[in-house]
Amino acid sequence: MNIQKRGMKFTKPGHNVPLKKIQQNLQFLKFWQKNFSATILIRNIIISIFSAQIITATILLVISAIRDRNKKQRSFPSIELKEVQVGANRLQIYGYGEDLYKAMLEAIDSAQESIYIESYIWKDDEAGWDFKTHLAHKAAEGVEVYVIFDRIGNLVVPRDFKTSFDPAIHLMEYRAFGLYRHMLDPRRYALDHRKLLIVDGKTSFIGGYNIGSLYASSWRDTHLRIQGPASAEIARSFTDFWNRFGPKNEPIKRQYQRRFDPLINLHGNDALRLTFPIRDMYIEAINRAEHSIYLSNAYFVPDGSLLDSLKAASQRGVDVRILVPWTSNHVVADWISHSYFSECLDAGIHILGYRHAMLHAKTCTIDGQWSTIGTANLDRLSSIGNYEINVEIYSSEFAQQMERLFACDTADVIELTADRWHHRPWYTKLSEHILTPLRFMM
């Protein structure tokens, strides 16, 4: 084969290839090989990180399962608080499940017109059946009874329990996405995390308690009863949710009269409309604080803005105290929450660990004037994800009740110090770093 060089070309029989083209091809091949190697490297790094997270989370879950199997039920301190008048409404705080359930069932039994009840979790146990039985009796009397529970929240609840509500009861099992195309819309992944009971538009309950025997005596949570015109606002929130997502042939037509109340405001997250006022409510109140912030929350995974507001408050001299469960029902969430403690402690924030039971409360009181009770955790799922609802209250007398409850909860806690926390074992720090990227999913 003869190859003759002619200027910038090599000549083959029947085929001429420019030298420049060959050089470009060689450069492209080198570039592709280099980037292909980089792609493999990046892929392997991502797989390694993901695998480390899976292994770490699995180990923690196994340890948690063993711990829970050997855990004995413990009592926890509680106090009785008196009812408080706030404007035209009477407010009662509940910090013990059995007392709350008794009051809720009494309210249900007194219903004359309507009962609206919404619960993220509704257990198939004694407490769950008590509520079903009382609701069935009122439906048989002709009272309009509407029930909402979340499908994902009750995946482990037997199907027979969820389908055995009395036929006279209007029932909605909320589904995050009902159509396949909804799976392509991140807004549709929001769960209904709300917990409400409204009777006759006059008496309402709102807070952290789901329905189940476990919560009645073994969990420390906080719920609020409102008797008065503010209940109509909560009733409207329920009916709006039902009419939007419930059976189209069963709309709620009854409407209770609403009115503006400068002392009691309702804030509800709406994932589909991308409105999340609860997070903004917290940030605004924290930014106004001058003396004290007493915050209790089950899962403390704040976003950057909320965390910055808490740190700034502490650095300007506000007494910021955050009460979290020392061991919650979600061990991975605990460890992700721990990744925030160093920043908080360095900023002068007091981190308090509740050790008597699972603390599930979602409350805050500021400067002896402002308070909130509701369903929203301080994590991303609640802040910018799920359907949530909180009530905001301006009342010094009510804030005093909240402070008394916080004092009871923090009388015997584990308080972290910066020195102790910074010197925790290296493997603990490593596990927290491995799980840190998951904070954006919780």
Side-chain angles (χ1 to χ4, degrees):
M1 179 173 61
N2 296 323
I3 301 177
Q4 183 179 6
K5 186 174 182 180
R6 295 182 179 178
M8 297 299 292
K9 296 183 179 179
F10 288 104
T11 303
K12 288 184 180 181
H15 183 67
N16 295 330
V17 181
L19 176 61
K20 186 174 182 181
K21 184 67 174 178
I22 293 175
Q23 292 172 335
Q24 289 175 344
N25 289 341
L26 289 173
Q27 289 175 351
F28 175 77
L29 179 61
K30 292 178 180 179
F31 176 82
W32 182 84
Q33 289 176 332
K34 180 180 178 181
N35 283 274
F36 181 70
S37 300
T39 301
I40 292 176
L41 178 62
I42 293 171
R43 183 199 66 185
N44 290 339
I45 291 174
I46 292 173
I47 291 175
S48 298
I49 293 173
F50 183 71
S51 299
Q53 291 172 344
I54 294 295
I55 292 170
T56 303
T58 300
I59 293 172
L60 292 175
L61 290 171
V62 170
I63 294 173
S64 177
I66 296 172
R67 178 200 67 201
D68 292 344
R69 189 190 313 163
N70 299 322
K71 185 169 61 177
K72 296 180 180 179
Q73 182 174 335
R74 298 174 59 189
S75 60
F76 53 88
S78 62
I79 57 173
E80 292 186 11
L81 299 169
K82 67 178 183 178
E83 193 175 62
V84 174
Q85 189 80 28
V86 179
N89 300 275
R90 301 195 311 277
L91 275 56
Q92 175 69 56
I93 302 171
Y94 293 93
Y96 190 65
E98 289 183 355
D99 296 336
L100 169 68
Y101 290 167
K102 180 181 178 181
M104 292 174 74
L105 293 174
E106 288 176 353
I108 288 171
D109 292 341
S110 70
Q112 301 295 316
E113 298 175 346
S114 66
I115 300 170
Y116 306 147
I117 185 167
E118 185 173 355
S119 187
Y120 175 62
I121 296 174
W122 196 316
K123 294 286 190 180
D124 176 19
D125 55 23
E126 183 180 355
W129 277 101
D130 275 348
F131 275 87
K132 285 182 71 172
T133 301
H134 283 255
L135 291 171
H137 287 162
K138 298 309 293 187
E141 293 176 6
V143 175
E144 298 174 2
V145 180
Y146 290 83
V147 170
I148 302 174
F149 59 83
D150 187 85
R151 185 182 194 186
I152 300 297
N154 293 278
L155 278 179
V156 299
V157 176
R159 190 67 195 166
D160 290 346
F161 177 82
K162 293 184 282 190
T163 58
S164 61
F165 280 82
D166 189 282
I169 295 175
H170 304 274
L171 184 66
M172 189 224 297
E173 183 180 13
Y174 174 76
R175 303 185 180 194
F177 37 83
L179 301 173
Y180 286 118
R181 60 183 173 85
H182 290 166
M183 298 180 69
L184 301 175
D185 186 351
R187 299 173 304 166
R188 295 282 184 174
Y189 284 78
L191 306 180
D192 178 18
H193 195 244
R194 311 189 323 166
K195 298 97 177 172
L196 300 174
L197 169 64
I198 309 99
V199 174
D200 294 342
K202 299 176 182 177
T203 300
S204 58
F205 295 81
I206 179 175
Y209 275 101
N210 291 291
I211 298 175
S213 298
L214 171 69
Y215 317 122
S217 58
S218 300
W219 283 31
R220 167 64 193 93
D221 211 332
T222 304
H223 227 75
L224 175 67
R225 182 185 68 195
I226 301 176
Q227 292 182 301
S231 294
E233 189 73 20
I234 301 177
R236 183 63 67 90
S237 178
F238 181 97
T239 58
D240 287 348
F241 192 89
W242 177 280
N243 291 341
R244 189 176 175 194
F245 297 109
K248 300 305 179 185
N249 60 337
E250 297 181 43
I252 299 176
K253 297 181 180 180
R254 184 186 299 275
Q255 298 292 345
Y256 292 101
Q257 185 176 359
R258 306 158 74 183
R259 73 176 194 180
F260 289 103
D261 190 331
L263 303 178
I264 301 177
N265 296 316
L266 198 67
H267 299 278
N269 287 353
D270 190 324
L272 204 56
R273 293 172 179 155
L274 296 177
T275 57
F276 307 105
I278 297 175
R279 170 185 173 276
D280 295 338
M281 172 198 73
Y282 266 105
I283 292 175
E284 183 178 358
I286 290 167
N287 288 342
R288 290 183 176 184
E290 302 220 347
H291 305 293
S292 62
I293 298 173
Y294 302 146
L295 189 154
S296 300
N297 212 269
Y299 313 111
F300 183 68
V301 189
D303 61 51
S305 296
L306 182 56
L307 181 62
D308 287 345
S309 291
L310 288 167
K311 288 161 56 179
S314 178
Q315 290 166 347
R316 67 174 179 267
V318 178
D319 180 16
V320 182
R321 298 177 180 269
I322 300 175
L323 179 65
V324 296
W326 190 241
T327 305
S328 82
N329 62 322
H330 293 301
V331 63
V332 176
D334 289 346
W335 282 66
I336 293 174
S337 177
H338 293 171
S339 66
Y340 291 91
F341 289 175
S342 293
E343 282 187 73
C344 290
L345 292 168
D346 290 342
I349 295 172
H350 299 271
I351 301 295
L352 312 173
Y354 192 80
R355 57 184 174 181
H356 297 287
M358 168 55 194
L359 176 75
H360 194 247
K362 303 97 169 50
T363 65
C364 185
T365 189
I366 295 177
D367 286 355
Q369 301 177 53
W370 179 95
S371 306
T372 185
I373 295 176
T375 71
N377 296 307
L378 289 184
D379 58 22
R380 284 165 176 76
L381 289 178
S382 287
S383 296
I384 55 173
N386 296 334
Y387 290 94
E388 305 281 2
I389 190 164
N390 269 50
V391 62
E392 178 184 32
I393 300 157
Y394 296 90
S395 166
S396 58
E397 188 176 1
F398 184 81
Q400 289 174 12
Q401 299 286 70
M402 294 285 287
E403 289 180 349
R404 285 190 58 201
L405 184 60
F406 191 84
C408 176
D409 288 337
T410 56
D412 180 23
V413 294
I414 298 170
E415 180 167 2
L416 296 181
T417 63
D419 182 66
R420 174 186 172 188
W421 186 250
H422 291 323
H423 288 87
R424 64 198 185 281
W426 67 267
Y427 51 83
T428 301
K429 295 179 182 179
L430 177 61
S431 299
E432 292 167 4
H433 283 302
I434 290 172
L435 294 174
T436 294
L438 296 180
R439 63 168 60 172
F440 302 104
M441 302 170 58
M442 304 191 70

